Amino acid sequence: MESWNRMSTDSVRSHTPDGVNRKIDARVEKCVQAMAEQMDRPAISEYLRKLEHEWDLNRVVTVAASAVSVLGLVLAAKDGRGWKIVSGVAAGLLLQHGLFGFGPLSELVRALGVRTRKEIDLEKFALKALRGDFERIPHEGGPLARANAALVAAQS
């Protein structure tokens, strides 16, 4: 399949190692190709509902850093031995992520395969295109051609 994911302005993708980006893109391609082969509208709709509940990178980073920060404050109140530093580091990582859109915590979460909202939305739009929500997808050609057209349409 030709390269379809051209989100070069995405700071997360630009700071993520190419191998991680390729792995995430391959997972999307595999799903969209499987749906293109089946062309089962109810299955596509069910998977779209699942995607609506998928946590994106920003949400995971925010929850993780906040939880560590609160944990550090709770432990500092009980023990007091340097646990405030844990809270400070977590808050700093969250601030860095908020200012720059990426940081060490983001890199760790990204390596676990967590996707950005743009990447999740791209898959959703490709699946909606396959389901017939858009008129730009040709009905002729094989599943691979339809999957590729759906991914390209979702980018534009």
Side-chain angles (χ1 to χ4, degrees):
M1 183 178 278
E2 73 180 61
S3 177
W4 51 268
N5 199 344
R6 297 185 175 99
M7 294 187 290
S8 61
T9 60
D10 187 337
S11 65
V12 172
R13 284 187 69 84
S14 64
H15 287 90
T16 300
D18 289 339
V20 174
N21 284 335
R22 281 193 302 271
K23 184 177 177 183
I24 290 170
D25 292 347
R27 191 174 81 201
V28 172
E29 287 176 12
K30 182 179 177 182
C31 172
V32 174
Q33 287 175 3
M35 293 293 182
E37 289 172 3
Q38 294 175 4
M39 287 308 292
D40 181 0
R41 288 180 58 91
I44 293 172
S45 296
E46 181 61 32
Y47 190 74
L48 284 168
R49 281 190 285 280
K50 179 183 169 191
L51 288 176
E52 287 294 327
H53 299 290
E54 183 175 335
W55 282 28
D56 66 19
L57 180 103
N58 287 331
R59 187 174 186 186
V60 172
V61 167
T62 302
V63 169
S66 299
V68 169
S69 184
V70 169
L71 178 65
L73 290 174
V74 168
L75 292 174
K78 284 186 171 192
D79 194 15
R81 294 187 199 164
W83 286 107
K84 290 179 185 175
I85 293 173
V86 172
S87 292
V89 169
L93 290 172
L94 186 57
L95 177 64
Q96 181 182 23
H97 179 78
L99 291 174
F100 302 111
F102 198 77
L105 186 54
S106 305
E107 189 172 341
L108 173 66
V109 170
R110 185 77 170 156
L112 296 173
V114 177
R115 301 187 289 172
T116 66
R117 176 54 43 200
K118 287 181 183 179
E119 291 168 332
I120 295 167
D121 287 345
L122 182 135
E123 183 176 11
K124 284 170 39 181
F125 286 119
L127 292 172
K128 287 178 181 183
L130 277 176
R131 188 173 64 180
D133 294 6
F134 309 114
E135 295 181 14
R136 295 177 55 187
I137 307 303
H139 294 288
E140 61 276 350
L144 188 60
R146 288 193 312 272
N148 190 42
L151 289 166
V152 171
Q155 283 284 210
S156 53

